[in-house]
Amino acid sequence: MSKTVIRIEKLVKKYRKLTAVNEISFSVKKGEVFGLLGENGAGKTTTLEIIEGLRKPTSGKILVLDHDIKRGLRNIKEKIGVQLQSSAYYSFLTLTEILHLFGSFYSKYQDPQKLLEMVDLKDKASSYVNSLSGGQKQRFSIVASLINDPEIVFLDEPTTGLDPVARRNLWEIISKIKSQGKTIILTTHYMEEAEMLCDRVAIMEHGKILTIGETHKLIEQVKFPFKIDFVIQSISLKRKKELSKYGEVINMHRGNHHQLLIKHKKDLNSALAKVQKMKPESFSVVQASLEDLFIELTGKTITEEEEVNA
């Protein structure tokens, strides 16, 4: 059984009348990737910064590697690595010089050249941060969080603003870090990212945890765990009634794209056979995702919330 490396009990953070984190509790096991998911303002970053010791909680108990954060913060900081949403580095130091500087803050630190090689930045060792692309800067910020060879790595929205290729490159780096036996806690509002990387996730909204658990098991709890997407000009009332026995039929965008949302896995083959008899132009079977779960729990998508906040 894996050791618990972080334990949070009834954590609260208030800013005058605003309760940013509202009495949440969870634990993180050694060697897992744990994700805090939610839209902007859900309380993810605040929670992370409290665990890192960057903010003081209003109330609650926080244990990191068996140290109470109120009394053992110095010991904790030696054993954690922190990558922030936005980081400012000295513009007059090279990447290698920055890593040596950061390493000097700890009792031990890793070889900067080996770290840069791990994220394909060895050829940039003598470059300045301002000369890097967005993806390279993010890779370097993760490297900087690893300089002290931490047991736990905190990544706050590590792929925000990156193009799809750079994002996937960063996913590979995060997987490499996990393979070294390190525990990773990350925040994200990208549901696909959480599905790809996280062993367990907690979905947050308005400072509360709505649900928490193993990623694949949470997805199985979705009301309609399977979908059949198909393209057909029209569906007769008789056909629609037949399909409705398996779940819910939706006409997407009032066009010829339809979805059959299926409640039970045992009905999938029969439902698919019915759809094929209709001779659709195309069809595909899709499993539910974390985004579907998020929509069920909150009634909205992350994109909608971000547009409101923009």
Side-chain angles (χ1 to χ4, degrees):
M1 189 174 181
S2 298
K3 176 185 176 183
T4 296
V5 293
I6 294 176
R7 186 179 300 280
I8 310 298
E9 296 178 4
K10 297 184 178 180
L11 177 62
V12 175
K13 179 61 178 178
K14 292 184 177 182
Y15 298 97
R16 295 183 180 177
K17 294 182 179 180
L18 172 67
T19 302
V21 179
N22 193 353
E23 206 168 288
I24 65 172
S25 300
F26 64 91
S27 61
V28 180
K29 301 291 185 183
K30 178 178 173 60
E32 75 174 336
V33 179
F34 183 87
L36 290 171
L37 315 184
E39 73 271 21
N40 295 331
K44 310 183 305 294
T45 295
T46 301
T47 300
L48 211 65
E49 291 180 347
I50 291 171
I51 302 171
E52 296 162 352
L54 299 177
R55 295 182 187 270
K56 291 184 178 181
T58 302
S59 62
K61 186 175 182 179
I62 305 166
L63 292 175
V64 180
L65 297 168
D66 297 325
H67 296 287
D68 189 316
I69 202 162
K70 292 178 181 177
R71 296 183 293 274
L73 188 55
R74 178 170 295 186
N75 291 322
I76 291 170
K77 286 185 175 180
E78 280 285 332
K79 298 177 180 179
I80 66 172
V82 177
Q83 177 264 333
L84 304 174
Q85 272 192 33
S86 58
S87 302
Y89 299 104
Y90 294 108
S91 59
F92 54 86
L93 296 178
T94 67
L95 302 192
T96 300
E97 289 169 340
I98 291 172
L99 293 178
H100 276 299
L101 175 63
F102 284 7
S104 69
F105 301 151
Y106 299 96
S107 57
K108 65 170 185 175
Y109 67 94
Q110 300 193 75
D111 181 353
Q113 298 306 313
K114 288 183 178 179
L115 288 175
L116 291 172
E117 184 176 5
M118 185 183 84
V119 296
D120 296 324
L121 287 177
K122 193 174 182 180
D123 61 332
K124 299 289 185 179
S126 299
S127 301
Y128 299 103
V129 172
N130 291 340
S131 70
L132 303 180
S133 67
Q136 289 171 336
K137 286 178 181 177
Q138 287 292 75
R139 276 147 54 194
F140 180 69
S141 71
I142 290 180
V143 158
S145 74
L146 298 174
I147 190 65
N148 60 321
D149 194 17
E151 294 182 38
I152 304 174
V153 182
F154 295 90
L155 306 176
D156 194 6
E157 303 280 4
T159 64
T160 296
L162 299 184
D163 63 65
V165 174
R167 182 174 297 147
R168 289 183 179 274
N169 288 338
L170 217 59
W171 291 357
E172 290 182 13
I173 292 169
I174 293 170
S175 295
K176 283 182 186 178
I177 296 170
K178 182 189 177 183
S179 70
Q180 296 171 3
K182 300 185 186 301
T183 304
I184 300 171
I185 304 177
L186 63 85
T187 68
T188 183
H189 55 252
Y190 295 121
M191 296 293 133
E192 181 189 8
E193 180 165 284
E195 283 188 50
M196 289 291 296
L197 297 175
C198 297
D199 300 299
R200 289 192 305 132
V201 297
I203 295 179
M204 296 187 68
E205 185 183 38
H206 303 313
K208 285 185 169 290
I209 291 178
L210 302 181
T211 190
I212 187 170
E214 293 179 55
T215 308
H216 69 283
K217 289 184 178 179
L218 288 180
I219 293 172
E220 290 172 1
Q221 296 173 15
V222 174
K223 184 179 179 182
F224 297 107
F226 296 94
K227 307 173 191 175
I228 300 176
D229 287 338
F230 58 101
V231 176
I232 193 169
Q233 288 300 319
S234 62
I235 306 175
S236 67
L237 289 176
K238 180 182 177 182
R239 291 291 193 190
K240 190 171 183 179
K241 189 174 181 180
E242 289 176 354
L243 293 177
S244 295
K245 292 189 301 183
Y246 305 109
E248 189 174 318
V249 182
I250 296 176
N251 179 213
M252 305 295 288
H253 315 299
R254 297 182 180 180
N256 58 1
H257 179 195
H258 304 268
Q259 277 189 342
L260 172 57
L261 308 180
I262 301 172
K263 288 184 177 180
H264 306 293
K265 186 176 181 179
K266 62 182 178 64
D267 293 330
L268 182 58
N269 289 337
S270 299
L272 185 57
K274 290 283 187 184
V275 170
Q276 287 177 304
K277 280 185 179 179
M278 296 166 60
K279 297 182 179 179
E281 296 174 35
S282 64
F283 67 90
S284 62
V285 179
V286 183
Q287 192 166 1
S289 65
L290 270 180
E291 184 171 7
D292 295 313
L293 177 63
F294 186 86
I295 293 170
E296 280 191 16
L297 291 173
T298 67
K300 59 195 172 189
T301 66
I302 292 284
T303 303
E304 288 172 351
E305 180 67 20
E306 288 185 327
E307 287 172 354
V308 169
N309 288 341

